[in-house]
Amino acid sequence: MQTDSSFTFVLFGGTGDLSMRKILPALFEAHRAGGMLADSGKIFAVARHAADRSEYLQWVNEHVKPHVSKNGVDEAAWASFLKRIEFVKIDLGNPDDFALLRDAIQDLPGIRVFYLATGPSLFVPICHALASVGLNANARIVLEKPLGYDLKSSNAINDAVGEIFAEEQIYRIDHYLGKEPVQNLLALRFGNALFEPLWRREWVESIQITIAEELGVEARGDFYDNTGALRDMVQNHLLQLLSIVAMEPPHSMDSDSVRDEKLRVLRALKPIDPRDIGKVAVRGQYHSGVIRGTSVPAYATEPGVRPDSTTETFVALKVEIENWRWAGVPFFLRTGKRLADRVAEIVVNFRPVPHSALGASALRAGANRLVIRLQPNETIRLYCLAKQPGEGMNLASVHLDLAFDQFFREGQMEAYQRLLLDVINGRLALFVRRDEQEAAWRWVEPILNEWKASNKPPKPYASGTWGPAASSAMLAQHGTCWLEEEN
């Protein structure tokens, strides 16, 4: 991942939550590692909530430093990192201010990266303002989610940005694609003869993909109440993970080869008939409850949320892929807030053996499975059956572990660090192409429309649980259950 490429990294929303928690810490880790960022690379923070560079660096010390280096901050590295940072005070609502940015960076060498860590309503005005001062050439632009509210609004943003930047200049970021286990899933499938022959309907019974959060909406009530879990998590993160799990082997790992195969999966998703949505889609909303001994409020009483809100904070879906590899295999997707644990994982349940001379336990569903844990601890675990010590042929579930932090002694790279380096170095494979995004919206929209038309409230669930009972019932109809229910 080392580079000698000069760059200018311009961070819009330089005092925002994302910049504080993710972007600036990721850039610091790349700087601290040595050799990942060119010495000449500069970081320009753009905001209007600081008076000058000195005040902005004070903000960075107070708000960003606590989020870097879990094992303590290397003070020398931190001091040298701060030397990379410049500040430009800009009112994003005033296009004339962008001349200040042009004057600050126009003579600097290398590629320009514009990271839009702002609300999507500002994407188009920022792009137009950049073009008005000639900063859209020799540049790459990073767009954070959510990119639109539906297919129409997403297309409107993409059309407007596409008039100013070519598709190969646009990096639509989904940080789950930068996680180490997701990269290892590709290595596991396409680098080993062991798994690829089994990765199909003949040997896979079902697949679960879960992204669960203990937190509620926190300070994002205004945003979340107009978005909901389906838009916030399913349309992007979960469908991207699904496409990685289900894609065909690309002929190479170049950006278009990988994204072409992901697109084929998204286009092969079986459309959900509005009449069947009650059977294959569960939506819920958290009520008050207790998480790890602490009482938490109901969603409807959160700041910024309407008291009569019908916005979903939980979604579970049964998804099918209509192609030869996966026909008939159910994919169960689930995401929610205020759930019992913070976890993101992919569970591949292999079919039991067709006949067992070793007893009923060898025929048990889920006896053979692969669990890919994305967070909080990143591991890959393969479950199989083995004989218990002692008399008789008694089988027990055992597992083989790949715990990355134990096997690989060097520190793991965080998702944002990997993705930011990919932007600087011009690697697009881990970013979402426009046609992928359109395919995902096209599949999700009938669910959104049916929920809106039916006007049925989400199913309630207590905070600190795993969501509405209907989610478990949906899997039970297919003779299976969520992983934590079995354990």
Side-chain angles (χ1 to χ4, degrees):
M1 299 288 285
Q2 292 189 348
T3 179
D4 295 323
S5 302
S6 295
F7 67 91
T8 301
F9 189 97
V10 180
L11 178 57
F12 289 92
T15 55
D17 186 65
L18 184 63
S19 298
M20 173 182 71
R21 292 185 301 105
K22 295 295 184 181
I23 300 172
L24 289 171
L27 289 169
F28 168 71
E29 293 299 339
H31 168 86
R32 184 182 63 85
M36 289 186 174
L37 298 178
D39 291 340
S40 59
K42 302 291 289 184
I43 300 166
F44 281 77
V46 173
R48 61 175 179 172
H49 299 300
D52 52 25
R53 180 175 184 270
S54 176
E55 186 175 314
Y56 182 73
L57 292 184
Q58 182 179 343
W59 180 89
V60 170
N61 273 310
E62 291 177 3
H63 295 90
V64 178
K65 196 174 183 181
H67 293 279
V68 306
S69 296
K70 299 175 183 177
N71 299 321
V73 178
D74 180 333
E75 293 295 342
W78 180 252
S80 63
F81 174 66
L82 293 183
K83 292 179 181 178
R84 287 187 185 268
I85 299 177
E86 302 292 342
F87 176 76
V88 181
K89 183 179 177 65
I90 288 181
D91 180 354
L92 297 181
N94 182 6
D96 294 339
D97 279 6
F98 281 73
L100 300 172
L101 178 62
R102 178 199 59 204
D103 295 343
I105 71 174
Q106 64 181 349
D107 295 329
L108 296 176
I111 193 73
R112 296 165 184 156
V113 174
F114 299 109
Y115 197 115
L116 274 54
T118 67
S121 63
L122 293 173
F123 290 175
V124 174
I126 290 173
C127 289
H128 280 299
L130 290 172
S132 71
V133 294
L135 290 179
N136 57 319
N138 189 34
R140 296 167 187 147
I141 189 154
V142 185
L143 305 180
E144 268 285 349
K145 79 168 188 75
L147 202 66
Y149 184 77
D150 52 19
L151 180 60
K152 182 180 179 180
S153 59
S154 175
N155 281 341
I157 293 173
N158 278 317
D159 286 343
V161 175
E163 291 176 357
I164 298 164
F165 295 94
E167 179 65 26
E168 60 269 19
Q169 294 177 276
I170 302 172
Y171 290 69
R172 300 174 188 85
I173 195 167
D174 186 324
H175 71 274
Y176 273 86
L177 297 183
K179 290 182 176 291
E180 197 72 56
V182 176
Q183 305 302 297
N184 265 295
L185 174 58
L186 295 172
L188 196 74
R189 283 194 58 192
F190 305 136
N192 298 283
L194 176 64
F195 288 105
E196 180 55 27
L198 304 178
W199 214 263
R200 59 191 68 248
R201 59 188 175 83
E202 291 87 352
W203 303 108
V204 174
E205 189 167 64
S206 66
I207 293 178
Q208 301 174 15
I209 305 177
T210 293
I211 302 177
E213 300 175 271
E214 285 186 337
L215 293 175
V217 295
E218 306 307 300
R220 299 168 71 229
D222 288 331
F223 160 78
Y224 198 89
D225 206 39
N226 292 304
T227 304
L230 191 66
R231 291 184 178 93
D232 190 45
M233 297 296 291
V234 176
Q235 183 273 332
N236 38 69
H237 297 326
L238 279 168
L239 289 186
Q240 281 293 314
L241 290 177
L242 170 66
S243 65
I244 290 283
V245 171
M247 64 188 278
E248 295 296 319
H251 74 80
S252 73
M253 295 306 292
D254 70 75
S255 60
D256 280 330
S257 294
V258 172
R259 297 190 294 180
D260 284 346
E261 298 304 335
K262 287 163 57 189
L263 178 62
R264 289 189 178 97
V265 173
L266 294 170
R267 287 179 171 171
L269 293 176
K270 182 179 179 181
I272 293 182
D273 190 319
R275 294 169 296 183
D276 294 332
I277 283 180
K279 301 175 185 176
V280 299
V282 176
R283 63 195 296 249
Q285 186 186 99
Y286 67 79
H287 286 202
S288 59
V290 177
I291 296 181
R292 301 192 187 280
T294 301
S295 296
V296 295
Y299 172 77
T301 65
E302 297 274 20
V305 174
R306 294 162 295 166
D308 59 348
S309 173
T310 58
T311 298
E312 78 282 354
T313 62
F314 175 96
V315 174
L317 299 169
K318 172 183 172 275
V319 179
E320 295 182 58
I321 300 174
E322 296 183 313
N323 62 20
W324 277 50
R325 182 183 288 267
W326 296 113
V329 176
F331 287 72
F332 298 105
L333 312 184
R334 175 178 60 164
T335 186
K337 292 187 174 296
R338 292 287 192 217
L339 298 183
D341 200 2
R342 172 181 175 265
V343 63
E345 66 187 5
I346 300 164
V347 180
V348 181
N349 289 311
F350 294 101
R351 296 187 185 279
V353 296
H355 170 74
S356 176
L358 302 176
S361 58
L363 297 172
R364 187 178 72 242
N368 302 140
R369 65 161 52 106
L370 184 70
V371 178
I372 301 152
R373 177 67 65 89
L374 307 179
Q375 65 182 28
N377 52 325
E378 300 180 340
T379 60
I380 294 178
R381 178 172 287 184
L382 177 64
Y383 288 84
C384 53
L385 294 175
K387 178 188 176 297
Q388 294 187 53
E391 185 179 2
M393 183 58 72
N394 298 313
L395 303 183
S397 178
V398 298
H399 56 262
L400 308 173
D401 266 351
L402 172 56
F404 298 110
D405 59 346
Q406 297 177 25
F407 194 87
F408 299 106
R409 295 304 179 187
E410 63 271 20
Q412 291 186 57
M413 190 178 293
E414 294 290 338
Y416 268 95
Q417 183 181 344
R418 171 182 289 105
L419 294 172
L420 293 180
L421 289 171
D422 278 0
V423 176
I424 291 169
N425 292 303
R427 294 186 284 257
L428 277 159
L430 300 182
F431 295 85
V432 180
R433 204 168 59 192
R434 176 173 179 170
D435 49 8
E436 291 181 76
Q437 192 174 67
E438 288 180 359
W441 272 121
R442 195 168 287 111
W443 185 81
V444 161
E445 271 207 329
I447 307 174
L448 289 168
N449 293 339
E450 178 61 22
W451 283 349
K452 182 178 180 180
S454 69
N455 203 30
K456 292 181 181 178
K459 297 181 183 299
Y461 65 95
S463 294
T465 67
W466 283 102
S471 167
S472 299
M474 182 173 67
L475 270 70
Q477 293 174 359
H478 296 274
T480 188
C481 63
W482 296 108
L483 181 62
E484 77 280 348
E485 294 173 334
E486 182 174 306
N487 293 338

